[in-house]
Amino acid sequence: QLGGVPAGTRVLDLGSGSGKIALQVERATGARVTACDIDPVAVRDGVSPSGRSVVGDGQALPFAAGGFAAAYLVYVLHHVPDQGRLLVEAWRVLRYGGRLILVEFDGTSGLVKLFRVLARLTGRRCQFHTQGSLGSRLRMAGFDAEARRLDRVTFVAVAERRGAVNS
């Protein structure tokens, strides 16, 4: 999904957690991946791609506008309280034509129904999407977007930064 990102290009891993995916992306593409997570312990203890790990909130990213060619979130968006704000921030830090890739659980799957029960029991709030609802949210944030199913419970949305934010 990051095809066309030349080696050395800046890529942002939002919600990087342990940093393992960032490290894999960096090795596979030659991109310069910056891992960003709200959890300082995850950033401190995680794998750091080329030493670029940052504690940061996706709803107020600590990066300059237009600084990244691509960004991705893997099973992260459903944890974010203000998803619209995070998407607007992703739009802001991507350069024009930059690509945002999101991997998420399908909000209609049986697995997500179980997640919702567990979230209620543990006092957590999660907001899941369908392919269509996430596509709409991405378009509102200024992206051209399409989503496709990966398997019975997961889909990937690929969005490209265009014009102005609509929200």
Coordinates of all heavy atoms in Angstrom, one line a residue, residues 11-66:
V11 N 7.9 8.8 6.3 CA 6.7 8.1 6.5 C 6.4 8.2 8.0 O 7.3 8.0 8.8 CB 6.7 6.7 6.0 CG1 5.5 5.9 6.4 CG2 7.0 6.7 4.5
L12 N 5.1 8.4 8.4 CA 4.7 8.4 9.8 C 3.9 7.2 10.2 O 2.9 6.9 9.5 CB 3.9 9.7 10.0 CG 3.4 10.0 11.4 CD1 4.5 10.1 12.4 CD2 2.5 11.3 11.4
D13 N 4.3 6.6 11.2 CA 3.5 5.5 11.8 C 2.8 6.1 13.0 O 3.4 6.3 14.1 CB 4.5 4.4 12.3 CG 3.8 3.2 12.9 OD1 2.6 3.3 13.3 OD2 4.4 2.1 13.1
L14 N 1.5 6.3 12.9 CA 0.6 6.8 13.9 C 0.1 5.7 14.8 O -0.5 4.8 14.3 CB -0.5 7.6 13.3 CG -0.2 9.0 12.8 CD1 -1.3 9.5 11.9 CD2 0.1 9.9 14.0
G15 N 0.4 5.8 16.1 CA -0.1 4.8 17.0 C 0.9 3.6 16.9 O 0.5 2.4 16.8
S16 N 2.2 3.9 16.9 CA 3.2 2.9 16.6 C 3.3 1.8 17.6 O 3.9 0.7 17.3 CB 4.5 3.6 16.4 OG 4.9 4.2 17.5
G17 N 2.9 2.0 18.8 CA 3.1 1.0 19.9 C 4.5 0.6 20.0 O 5.4 1.4 20.2
S18 N 4.8 -0.7 19.8 CA 6.1 -1.3 20.0 C 7.1 -0.8 18.9 O 8.3 -1.0 19.1 CB 6.0 -2.8 20.1 OG 5.7 -3.3 18.8
G19 N 6.6 -0.3 17.8 CA 7.5 0.1 16.7 C 7.8 -1.0 15.8 O 8.5 -0.7 14.8
K20 N 7.3 -2.2 16.0 CA 7.7 -3.3 15.1 C 7.2 -3.1 13.7 O 8.0 -3.4 12.8 CB 7.2 -4.6 15.7 CG 7.9 -5.0 17.0 CD 7.3 -6.3 17.5 CE 8.0 -6.7 18.8 NZ 7.5 -7.8 19.5
I21 N 6.0 -2.6 13.5 CA 5.6 -2.4 12.1 C 6.4 -1.3 11.5 O 6.8 -1.4 10.3 CB 4.1 -2.1 12.1 CG1 3.3 -3.3 12.6 CG2 3.6 -1.6 10.7 CD1 1.8 -3.0 12.8
A22 N 6.7 -0.2 12.2 CA 7.5 0.8 11.6 C 8.9 0.3 11.2 O 9.4 0.6 10.1 CB 7.7 1.9 12.7
L23 N 9.5 -0.6 12.0 CA 10.8 -1.2 11.6 C 10.6 -2.0 10.3 O 11.4 -1.9 9.4 CB 11.3 -2.0 12.8 CG 12.7 -2.5 12.7 CD1 13.7 -1.3 12.6 CD2 13.0 -3.3 13.9
Q24 N 9.5 -2.8 10.2 CA 9.3 -3.6 9.0 C 9.1 -2.8 7.8 O 9.6 -3.1 6.7 CB 8.1 -4.5 9.3 CG 8.3 -5.6 10.3 CD 7.0 -6.4 10.6 OE1 5.9 -6.0 10.3 NE2 7.2 -7.5 11.2
V25 N 8.3 -1.7 7.9 CA 8.1 -0.8 6.8 C 9.4 -0.2 6.4 O 9.7 -0.1 5.2 CB 7.0 0.3 7.2 CG1 7.0 1.4 6.1 CG2 5.7 -0.4 7.3
E26 N 10.2 0.3 7.3 CA 11.5 0.9 7.0 C 12.4 -0.1 6.2 O 13.0 0.3 5.2 CB 12.1 1.4 8.2 CG 13.3 2.4 7.9 CD 13.7 3.1 9.2 OE1 14.5 2.5 10.0 OE2 13.3 4.2 9.4
R27 N 12.4 -1.3 6.7 CA 13.3 -2.3 6.1 C 12.8 -2.6 4.7 O 13.5 -2.8 3.7 CB 13.4 -3.5 6.9 CG 14.2 -3.3 8.1 CD 14.3 -4.6 9.0 NE 15.1 -4.4 10.1 CZ 15.1 -5.1 11.2 NH1 14.2 -6.1 11.3 NH2 15.9 -4.9 12.2
A28 N 11.4 -2.7 4.5 CA 10.9 -3.2 3.2 C 10.9 -2.1 2.2 O 11.0 -2.4 1.0 CB 9.4 -3.6 3.5
T29 N 10.8 -0.8 2.6 CA 10.7 0.3 1.6 C 11.9 1.2 1.5 O 12.0 1.9 0.5 CB 9.5 1.2 1.9 OG1 9.7 1.8 3.2 CG2 8.2 0.4 2.0
G30 N 12.7 1.2 2.5 CA 13.8 2.1 2.6 C 13.4 3.5 3.0 O 14.2 4.5 3.0
A31 N 12.1 3.7 3.3 CA 11.6 5.0 3.8 C 12.2 5.3 5.2 O 12.6 4.4 5.9 CB 10.1 4.9 3.8
R32 N 12.2 6.6 5.5 CA 12.6 7.0 6.8 C 11.3 7.1 7.7 O 10.6 8.1 7.6 CB 13.3 8.3 6.8 CG 14.6 8.2 6.0 CD 15.4 9.5 6.0 NE 14.6 10.6 5.4 CZ 14.4 11.8 5.9 NH1 15.0 12.2 7.0 NH2 13.7 12.7 5.3
V33 N 11.0 6.1 8.5 CA 9.8 6.0 9.3 C 10.0 6.7 10.6 O 11.0 6.4 11.3 CB 9.3 4.5 9.4 CG1 8.1 4.5 10.3 CG2 9.1 3.9 8.1
T34 N 9.0 7.5 11.0 CA 9.0 8.1 12.3 C 7.8 7.4 13.0 O 6.7 7.4 12.6 CB 8.7 9.6 12.3 OG1 9.8 10.3 11.6 CG2 8.6 10.2 13.7
A35 N 8.1 6.8 14.2 CA 7.1 6.1 15.0 C 6.6 7.1 16.0 O 7.3 7.8 16.6 CB 7.8 4.9 15.7
C36 N 5.3 7.2 16.1 CA 4.6 8.2 17.0 C 3.5 7.5 17.8 O 2.7 6.8 17.2 CB 4.0 9.3 16.2 SG 3.2 10.6 17.2
D37 N 3.6 7.6 19.1 CA 2.6 7.0 19.9 C 2.3 7.9 21.1 O 3.2 8.6 21.6 CB 3.0 5.6 20.4 CG 1.8 4.8 20.9 OD1 1.3 5.0 22.0 OD2 1.4 3.9 20.1
I38 N 1.1 7.9 21.6 CA 0.7 8.7 22.8 C 1.3 8.1 24.1 O 1.4 8.8 25.1 CB -0.8 8.8 22.9 CG1 -1.2 10.0 23.8 CG2 -1.5 7.5 23.3 CD1 -2.7 10.4 23.6
D39 N 1.7 6.9 24.1 CA 2.1 6.2 25.3 C 3.7 6.3 25.4 O 4.4 5.7 24.6 CB 1.7 4.7 25.2 CG 2.2 3.9 26.5 OD1 2.8 4.5 27.4 OD2 1.9 2.7 26.5
P40 N 4.1 7.1 26.4 CA 5.6 7.3 26.5 C 6.3 6.0 26.8 O 7.5 5.8 26.4 CB 5.7 8.3 27.7 CG 4.4 8.4 28.3 CD 3.4 7.9 27.4
V41 N 5.7 5.0 27.5 CA 6.3 3.8 27.8 C 6.5 3.0 26.5 O 7.6 2.4 26.3 CB 5.5 3.0 28.9 CG1 6.1 1.6 29.1 CG2 5.5 3.7 30.2
A42 N 5.5 3.0 25.6 CA 5.7 2.2 24.4 C 6.8 2.9 23.5 O 7.6 2.1 22.9 CB 4.4 2.3 23.6
V43 N 6.9 4.2 23.5 CA 7.9 4.8 22.8 C 9.3 4.6 23.4 O 10.3 4.2 22.7 CB 7.7 6.4 22.7 CG1 8.9 7.1 22.1 CG2 6.4 6.6 21.9
R44 N 9.4 4.6 24.7 CA 10.7 4.4 25.4 C 11.2 2.9 25.2 O 12.3 2.7 24.9 CB 10.5 4.7 26.9 CG 11.8 4.5 27.7 CD 11.6 4.6 29.2 NE 11.0 3.3 29.6 CZ 10.1 3.2 30.5 NH1 9.7 4.3 31.2 NH2 9.5 2.1 30.8
D45 N 10.2 2.0 25.4 CA 10.6 0.6 25.4 C 10.5 -0.1 24.0 O 11.0 -1.2 23.8 CB 9.7 -0.2 26.3 CG 9.9 0.2 27.8 OD1 10.9 0.9 28.1 OD2 9.1 -0.1 28.6
G46 N 9.9 0.6 23.0 CA 9.7 0.0 21.7 C 10.9 0.0 20.8 O 12.0 0.6 21.1
V47 N 10.8 -0.7 19.7 CA 11.8 -0.7 18.7 C 11.8 0.6 18.0 O 10.7 1.1 17.6 CB 11.5 -1.8 17.6 CG1 12.6 -1.8 16.5 CG2 11.5 -3.2 18.3
S48 N 12.9 1.3 17.8 CA 12.9 2.6 17.2 C 13.6 2.5 15.8 O 14.7 2.3 15.7 CB 13.8 3.5 18.1 OG 13.9 4.8 17.5
P49 N 12.7 2.8 14.8 CA 13.3 2.8 13.4 C 14.3 4.0 13.3 O 13.9 5.1 13.4 CB 12.1 2.9 12.5 CG 11.0 3.5 13.3 CD 11.3 3.1 14.8
S50 N 15.5 3.6 13.0 CA 16.6 4.6 12.9 C 16.6 5.7 13.9 O 16.9 6.9 13.7 CB 16.4 5.3 11.5 OG 16.5 4.3 10.5
G51 N 16.1 5.4 15.1 CA 16.1 6.3 16.2 C 15.0 7.4 16.2 O 15.1 8.3 17.0
R52 N 14.1 7.3 15.3 CA 13.0 8.3 15.2 C 11.7 7.8 15.8 O 10.8 7.3 15.2 CB 12.8 8.7 13.7 CG 13.9 9.5 13.1 CD 13.6 9.8 11.7 NE 13.5 8.7 10.8 CZ 14.5 8.0 10.3 NH1 15.8 8.5 10.5 NH2 14.3 7.0 9.5
S53 N 11.6 8.0 17.1 CA 10.4 7.7 17.9 C 10.0 9.0 18.7 O 10.8 9.6 19.3 CB 10.6 6.5 18.8 OG 10.8 5.4 18.1
V54 N 8.7 9.3 18.6 CA 8.2 10.5 19.2 C 7.0 10.2 20.0 O 6.1 9.5 19.6 CB 7.8 11.5 18.1 CG1 7.2 12.8 18.7 CG2 9.1 11.9 17.3
V55 N 6.9 10.8 21.2 CA 5.7 10.7 22.0 C 4.8 11.8 21.5 O 5.2 13.0 21.4 CB 5.9 11.0 23.5 CG1 4.6 11.0 24.3 CG2 6.8 9.9 24.1
G56 N 3.6 11.5 21.0 CA 2.7 12.5 20.5 C 1.3 12.0 20.4 O 1.0 10.8 20.3
D57 N 0.3 12.9 20.5 CA -1.1 12.6 20.4 C -1.5 12.9 18.9 O -1.3 14.0 18.4 CB -1.8 13.6 21.3 CG -3.3 13.3 21.4 OD1 -3.9 12.7 20.5 OD2 -4.0 13.8 22.3
G58 N -2.1 11.9 18.3 CA -2.6 12.0 16.9 C -3.6 13.1 16.7 O -3.8 13.5 15.6
Q59 N -4.2 13.6 17.8 CA -5.2 14.6 17.7 C -4.5 16.0 17.7 O -5.2 17.0 17.4 CB -6.2 14.5 18.8 CG -7.0 13.2 18.7 CD -7.7 12.9 20.0 OE1 -8.9 12.9 20.0 NE2 -7.0 12.6 21.1
A60 N -3.2 16.1 17.9 CA -2.4 17.3 17.9 C -1.0 16.9 17.7 O -0.1 17.0 18.5 CB -2.6 18.1 19.2
L61 N -0.7 16.6 16.4 CA 0.6 16.0 16.1 C 1.7 17.1 16.2 O 1.6 18.2 15.8 CB 0.6 15.5 14.7 CG -0.2 14.2 14.5 CD1 -0.5 13.8 13.0 CD2 0.4 13.0 15.3
P62 N 2.9 16.6 16.7 CA 4.0 17.6 16.9 C 4.9 17.7 15.7 O 6.2 17.6 15.8 CB 4.8 16.9 18.1 CG 4.5 15.5 17.9 CD 3.1 15.3 17.4
F63 N 4.3 17.8 14.5 CA 5.1 17.8 13.3 C 4.6 19.0 12.4 O 3.5 19.4 12.5 CB 4.9 16.5 12.5 CG 5.3 15.3 13.3 CD1 4.3 14.4 13.7 CD2 6.6 15.0 13.6 CE1 4.6 13.3 14.4 CE2 6.9 13.8 14.3 CZ 5.9 13.0 14.7
A64 N 5.6 19.5 11.6 CA 5.3 20.6 10.7 C 4.3 20.1 9.6 O 4.3 18.9 9.2 CB 6.6 21.1 10.0
A65 N 3.6 21.0 9.0 CA 2.6 20.7 7.9 C 3.4 20.2 6.7 O 4.5 20.7 6.4 CB 1.8 22.0 7.6
G66 N 2.9 19.2 6.0 CA 3.4 18.8 4.8 C 4.7 18.0 4.9 O 5.4 17.9 3.8

